[in-house]
Structure formats: structure tokens, C-alpha cells
Amino acid sequence: MVPHLATALNGPLLDLEKKILEATPAIERWFRLEWQEHTPPFYCSVDLRNAGYKLAPVDTNLFPGGFNNLSTEMLPLTVQAAMAAIDKYCPDARNLLLIPESHTRNPFYLQNVQRLMQIFRQTGLHVRLGSLSPEVTQPTPLALPDGNMLVVEPLVRSPNGRRVGLADFDPCTILLNNDLSAGIPSILENIHEQSLLPPVHAGWAIRRKSNHFKAFDEVAKKFGKLIDIDPWMVNPLHSKVGEVNFQEDIGMEALADSVSALLSKIKKKYKEYGMKDQKPFVIVKPDAGTYGMGIMTIKDASEIKDLNRKQRNKMSVIKDGVTVTDVLIQEGVPTFESINDAVAEPVVYMIDRYVVGGFYRVHAERGIDQNLNAPGSQFVPLAFSQQHAVPDLKAKPGTAAPNRFYVYGVVARLALLAASLEMERTDPDPEIY
């Protein structure tokens, strides 16, 4: 299924799709060379927004939790990518310990964990689940919607203190599917004999979105030069504001000034491309954190000063009760894609450097300028299996599924490359590698 693109397919996006398809050999060679220099994150998902005039990543998640939303036709490809990824870190791996989120009662999230276990079992690994939750003191069964069970077990540090596993299970590789929003637990510190994937500095205790988008600026510039486009076509403008406190009204003036400055920059870009009807907006979100929490759409800087108590409460605390002090202001990229009249955005999944599928996040209650990662969203698997059909250069831009999905995959891999640069630069122990 190719969702309806609710905009005339002309102008910049038509040009962007055409340029990307024509430059495919150069793009793929460039990615190959970049992956010789940089290690991609173990896995990653990227939220894209297709505005008709630009296609940009707006969020990059290094602990993706929606593998259950990928189409089953993509499983063989996913298993191959997982094999390539594991080979890199532990070629003789036998045991994999998967550490899921601690709030593991959510049935959709548990299906994601089940799918991850299925993928890694297919690569030839024994897979078991270890929990960071202090409440888990013995093997604990968790019911799945299909009637099956998952069992989470308490983590154990080895007698020499250098390894982590379960009471009777010593893994070569530990795969985190827990974004460490609440901080880095001591049981995961100073592990040097096992591969911990992703590394702990990928978690929200340390990671910052502003670092990611700073790296993305560089990647977009290089890519723009490679295929002769304005990097803005694939890159949302952004800025960071620190030392804010929504509850106590601290830093609001600086935040309003930054919003105003970014709205002016967006206006300039719209003017440059003759987009008279387009109204600029920005998204204000925490510089760390996930789950679509603490996000607001702002069209005028005055809205910052007029926030009500409920809005301030919503913006001030995110997952695991973490207080927001730094925010990212990001150019709002409207989504002009829809499924059955509901607003949609593509989410692309990757393992190692390979695109392994994706889905549309669809929300019937939200507008084209709003965050769709909110209660009430639904997921429609992307027909990425059609990737096996080679992109058709003769097709009218925007009409052929393989073309649209190839372009998504290219822009998502730009974010993947930015994440690898970000991880290198924020690594507290670079000499360990």
C-alpha cells in the first residue's frame, strides 16, 4: 500500500525523488564508504515526515520497540541483517541476553520483545530475558495476547564482577531494548568482557537529541553536495535551549526568543521556494526522552508565554518522572501523507546498516502539524517487501511504491549515519573499542 500523498506531486519533492533515484549508484557507494569509517548503531528506527516539499527525519530511536509492527514478509531479511550485526561483535556467539523495558506489562511492547526473540533465535542464538526491575527476584511469566508466555529473570553479576547474565546463563552479547531513561543501573556499569548493545551512552541518561541533529547537519550537507540538492530538503532546522523550568516559569523568555528566531528562518526558506500558503511552525520537545512525551506544536512565540498550568505540567516531566531542563526546538515538518483520511507518517526500521522494514504511524485524531506518537495511534506495515522490486526510473515520481520506499530508506539511513557519528563523539570510553 502506498498512502495517498495529499499534495500535488510537483516542485521540490518530485525533484528530490528524481534526484535520489538517478543518483542511486553514487548514493550506495557513498554509504558503503561511510560504513567503512563508522560503525552503525546495532539497531535503529527513524520517524520521517513527508511534507511534499521536503522529506526529513524528525526522531531517531536507538532502542526501537515496534518490531511487532513490521510485516512478516520482511522477517527473512531482518534475520539476515541481525546475523550480520551479531557477527561483527561476537562471531562465535551462542547466548544472547535481551533486557527489555521494565514496564513490560504493555501487550504491544511484549509482542515486540517476542518478535525480537524470534529474530535472534533464527540467527542461531539461545535468547533469554533479563529484567532491570528490582521487583523481579525470580523467573516471572508475562502473558502475551496470543496465549503464549515470556519469562523475565533477575540479572546476576558474575563472581568476578566483570560479566552480567542470569543464574544459569552466561551470554556473549547483551542486547538492550530499554532506553535507560531512569539512569544507568549499576549492574550495567564496567562491563568489558561482553558486548553491550547499544552501549549505555546511547540511553537517555546520557544521550541528547541536539547532539544527534548536530551530527545530522553534517551528514545532510555532505548528502546535499553529493546529489546537488539544498540540504534543507532532508533536514529540519533546529536549536537548543537549556536551563528551562516549565513549572517555575524559568527560561521562558529565552525559549520564546529561540522559537521566534527559528520561525523567521523557516519563513525565509518558504519565501525562497515560493511557498506562499505554507504557515511555519515549530515543535518543542525535551532534549532527552522518548514515547512522544512533553511535545508541543508552536506557531507563534507568544504561545510560550501563555502556557496554562496543564500545558506546563505536560512539558515539565517525561518518562520515569525525569524533569525536563533542556529542550530542542525543531522546524515543524507537516505530514502530507494519509491513510483512509487519517494523518500518517512513515517509520523506518534498520538493523546494522540494512533497512529491514517499517510501518506507517496513523492517527485519526491528529492534524498534519501535530505529533502522531500519542495514545490512539495505529500502525500499518509498510509494503517494504516490494523493495525486492527494483525502483522504476520511468515511473512518475510519487506513484511507484518501490521508489517511495527506496527514498524513505535513503533518508532514514542518513539519520542512521548521523547516529553513528553522534555515538562516536559522545563515547565516554573511546579507547575501549
Side-chain angles (χ1 to χ4, degrees):
M1 174 203 290
V2 183
H4 176 60
L5 189 62
T7 177
L9 270 157
N10 52 26
L13 191 72
L14 181 145
D15 195 38
L16 179 65
E17 185 176 301
K18 200 159 161 270
K19 280 195 162 157
I20 287 177
L21 290 169
E22 282 170 356
T24 296
I27 290 169
E28 293 306 327
R29 179 176 179 272
W30 177 70
F31 272 126
R32 271 198 308 277
L33 295 173
E34 290 290 339
W35 296 132
Q36 284 172 23
E37 299 289 320
H38 309 286
T39 304
F42 186 81
Y43 54 9
C44 175
S45 70
V46 177
D47 295 2
L48 298 173
R49 300 280 283 210
N50 186 347
Y53 57 86
K54 77 186 286 175
L55 174 66
V58 292
D59 202 29
T60 301
N61 185 356
L62 299 180
F63 300 88
F67 279 92
N68 53 310
N69 296 319
L70 306 187
S71 69
T72 45
E73 298 97 77
M74 297 307 289
L75 275 177
L77 185 63
T78 310
V79 170
Q80 272 184 315
M83 276 180 177
I86 287 286
D87 274 356
K88 226 181 244 184
Y89 297 95
C90 194
D92 58 348
R94 226 181 252 136
N95 296 337
L96 176 92
L97 179 65
L98 177 57
I99 299 180
E101 288 284 354
S102 300
H103 63 266
T104 42
R105 300 280 168 186
N106 177 330
F108 299 112
Y109 178 71
L110 291 177
Q111 286 172 312
N112 158 72
V113 174
Q114 182 187 33
R115 174 64 65 85
L116 277 170
M117 292 181 81
Q118 184 188 5
I119 290 164
F120 287 101
R121 278 195 183 123
Q122 282 300 117
T123 69
L125 294 168
H126 298 289
V127 186
R128 282 170 63 184
L129 299 176
S131 176
L132 287 170
S133 172
E135 283 91 66
V136 176
T137 54
Q138 59 189 49
T140 307
L142 299 170
L144 288 159
D146 64 4
N148 285 320
M149 286 281 181
L150 293 177
V151 176
V152 288
E153 302 176 62
L155 294 177
V156 177
R157 200 83 188 217
S158 65
N160 70 4
R162 297 179 63 84
R163 299 176 75 84
V164 168
L166 306 175
D168 58 347
F169 188 75
D170 182 29
C172 157
T173 306
I174 300 163
L175 180 61
L176 281 176
N177 198 243
N178 181 315
D179 63 25
L180 306 180
S181 290
I184 300 167
S186 55
I187 198 160
L188 294 182
E189 288 178 339
N190 304 314
I191 296 172
H192 303 313
E193 290 184 4
Q194 293 159 299
S195 297
L196 187 60
L197 304 167
V200 287
H201 70 282
W204 288 121
I206 295 175
R207 189 179 178 223
R208 296 294 174 264
K209 293 172 191 173
S210 48
N211 289 334
H212 175 75
F213 282 101
K214 207 183 284 174
F216 192 81
D217 288 343
E218 292 172 43
V219 171
K221 258 186 205 142
K222 275 188 177 180
F223 183 72
K225 209 169 172 185
L226 178 77
I227 69 166
D228 189 29
I229 58 160
D230 178 349
W232 177 74
M233 294 290 177
V234 294
N235 191 8
L237 299 168
H238 56 92
S239 63
K240 176 191 167 176
V241 179
E243 295 175 20
V244 299
N245 186 320
F246 286 96
Q247 295 279 30
E248 293 174 22
D249 208 16
I250 295 167
M252 292 301 114
E253 204 153 306
L255 180 55
D257 290 347
S258 291
V259 165
S260 184
L262 199 63
L263 284 167
S264 299
K265 278 186 188 171
I266 302 165
K267 256 187 207 136
K268 251 188 208 154
K269 275 293 176 191
Y270 286 176
K271 199 173 172 192
E272 186 185 328
Y273 286 98
M275 290 155 45
K276 295 185 183 76
D277 303 331
Q278 200 60 44
K279 294 271 181 287
F281 66 98
V282 296
I283 300 292
V284 177
K285 54 170 95 168
D287 199 22
T290 182
Y291 286 132
M293 294 175 83
I295 294 178
M296 58 184 174
T297 300
I298 298 286
K299 296 178 181 173
D300 191 283
S302 63
E303 293 171 50
I304 295 289
K305 292 164 187 165
D306 300 338
L307 290 177
N308 61 35
R309 174 59 54 201
K310 191 180 170 193
Q311 288 167 314
R312 287 178 193 281
N313 288 345
K314 187 185 125 187
M315 290 302 294
S316 61
V317 178
I318 49 167
K319 186 186 162 204
D320 291 333
V322 176
T323 305
V324 175
T325 54
D326 298 332
V327 295
L328 182 76
I329 308 165
Q330 194 176 55
E331 173 189 350
V333 182
T335 176
F336 284 175
E337 292 186 278
S338 62
I339 291 175
N340 301 332
D341 296 329
V343 174
E345 66 186 9
V347 182
V348 177
Y349 270 59
M350 290 158 284
I351 292 182
D352 198 61
R353 60 194 176 112
Y354 306 102
V355 172
V356 297
F359 50 83
Y360 275 96
R361 185 183 284 123
V362 185
H363 207 305
E365 307 297 313
R366 294 275 166 134
I368 62 167
D369 58 359
Q370 288 178 301
N371 164 41
L372 303 189
N373 188 5
S377 58
Q378 293 174 303
F379 306 99
V380 177
L382 276 170
F384 260 112
S385 50
Q386 294 186 51
Q387 260 193 336
H388 305 310
V390 178
D392 178 2
L393 285 168
K394 293 192 179 76
K396 200 169 147 213
T399 59
N403 292 6
R404 175 96 65 98
F405 297 148
Y406 176 70
V407 172
Y408 287 165
V410 167
V411 177
R413 283 182 289 158
L414 296 178
L416 183 74
L417 179 55
S420 68
L421 297 177
E422 172 202 357
M423 287 296 99
E424 281 167 25
R425 289 166 190 177
T426 56
D427 189 344
D429 300 304
E431 72 282 357
I432 284 173
Y433 296 101

